[in-house]
């Protein structure tokens, strides 16, 4: 039951990171297929997966194609009920679904102003009021999730779940743009980027260089902390 996972450039593709973590963190068998997100071959590379048109996309051993990360998450959880993608507790499971759905549809200002990049820290970035508002909302829902789970640190709902998968690129943005958050939120972000799976993803991305760099660089820049 090996899956084919189609992803874009690891250094920049936040949604690809989510798709990969769904498989990697929960021990599901997969093969990675690279799509030319920045080389101009994306449409050609994804043509056999129509109507999928974005990364990540997943192809099952039976040949079924699943696009959109939230659909991939639900499909994998359904096909592998013992893997623990969702929390086993009903209240925590409902909250995890809520968090993933809000991440999918929300935080537009943060995502637009701070595209994920895993090469350096943009220490000179100055967040707008809209970005700060998104950060406040993150603080609120992360704190509420931990209160529900009865934990003050660690993963959002106790054990690692799809909620942490969906917020991993957000944590990378907070680190990568030195965004102002509470000590608790920063600790969560640092935990995320120091996780072995995340570090493997980043290290594989760093094997490719980009000239010019595709996103704005806000000097001064400092080294990635993990």
């Amino acid at each position: 039951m090996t899956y084919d996972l189609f992803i874009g450039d690891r250094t920049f593709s936040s949604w690809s990171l989510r798709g990969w973590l769904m498989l990697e963190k929960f021990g599901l068998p997969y093969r990675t297929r690279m799509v030319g997100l920045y080389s101009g071959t994306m449409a050609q590379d994804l043509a056999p997966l129509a109507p999928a048109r974005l990364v990540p996309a997943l192809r099952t051993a039976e040949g079924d194609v699943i696009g959109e990360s939230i659909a991939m998450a639900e499909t994998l959880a359904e096909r592998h009920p013992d893997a623990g993608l969702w929390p086993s507790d009903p209240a925590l499971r409902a909250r995890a679904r809520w968090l993933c759905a809000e991440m999918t549809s929300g935080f537009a200002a943060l995502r637009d102003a701070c595209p994920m990049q895993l090469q350096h820290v943009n220490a000179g970035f100055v967040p707008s009021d809209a970005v700060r508002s998104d950060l406040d909302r993150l603080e609120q829902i992360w704190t509420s999730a931990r209160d529900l789970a009865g934990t003050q640190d660690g993963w959002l709902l106790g054990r690692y779940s799809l909620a942490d998968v969906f917020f991993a690129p957000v944590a990378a943005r907070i680190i990568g743009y030195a965004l102002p958050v509470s000590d608790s939120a920063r600790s969560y972000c640092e935990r995320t980027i120091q996780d072995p799976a995340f570090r493997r993803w980043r290290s594989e991305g760093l094997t490719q260089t980009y000239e010019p760099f595709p996103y704005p660089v806000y000097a001064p820049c400092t080294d990635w902390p993990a």
Side-chain angles (χ1 to χ4, degrees):
M1 193 184 289
T2 300
Y3 297 96
D4 287 311
L5 177 68
F6 293 78
I7 63 171
D9 302 62
R10 289 177 174 87
T11 300
F12 308 112
S13 182
S14 59
W15 288 104
S16 294
L17 171 58
R18 291 182 176 97
W20 184 81
L21 287 172
M22 292 179 203
L23 297 157
E24 177 70 17
K25 286 292 292 183
F26 297 99
L28 305 182
Y30 69 94
R31 292 181 292 259
T32 299
R33 310 292 192 187
M34 295 301 299
V35 171
L37 192 59
Y38 288 85
S39 63
T41 64
M42 182 173 177
Q44 175 184 340
D45 295 340
L46 289 178
L49 303 179
R53 62 186 181 89
L54 300 171
V55 288
L58 190 70
R59 185 169 60 201
T60 70
E62 298 81 14
D64 297 322
V65 176
I66 303 103
E68 297 296 335
S69 297
I70 196 71
M72 289 171 52
E74 290 286 9
T75 300
L76 292 172
E78 181 181 72
R79 289 167 65 98
H80 304 277
D82 297 328
L85 281 80
W86 293 121
S88 58
D89 178 83
L92 297 182
R93 187 163 61 250
R95 181 60 60 89
R97 285 192 166 108
W98 173 359
L99 293 176
C100 291
E102 182 162 347
M103 178 62 256
T104 299
S105 62
F107 307 101
L110 172 60
R111 290 156 66 177
D112 288 346
C114 305
M116 190 185 83
Q117 60 78 30
L118 306 180
Q119 285 200 1
H120 55 256
V121 175
N122 286 294
F125 178 78
V126 178
S128 66
D129 289 344
V131 170
R132 288 179 179 273
S133 179
D134 278 352
L135 294 174
D136 289 344
R137 177 58 181 170
L138 282 171
E139 297 266 12
Q140 181 183 28
I141 62 175
W142 286 358
T143 299
S144 178
R146 284 175 161 171
D147 288 346
L148 183 64
T151 179
Q152 297 303 312
D153 55 17
W155 302 117
L156 291 176
L157 293 164
R159 292 181 57 189
Y160 191 92
S161 75
L162 285 168
D164 302 293
V165 166
F166 272 70
F167 280 105
V170 174
R173 285 176 163 95
I174 290 172
I175 296 296
Y177 292 83
L179 297 177
V181 294
S182 67
D183 289 345
S184 176
R186 184 159 301 280
S187 175
Y188 174 70
C189 295
E190 290 172 349
R191 180 184 183 90
T192 297
I193 68 166
Q194 290 169 2
D195 183 76
F198 188 101
R199 294 181 67 176
R200 176 185 164 195
W201 171 272
R202 179 175 180 267
S203 67
E204 291 180 3
L206 293 180
T207 62
Q208 185 170 353
T209 58
Y210 298 86
E211 185 60 43
F213 197 74
Y215 294 124
V217 176
Y218 298 92
C221 290
T222 59
D223 292 338
W224 191 262

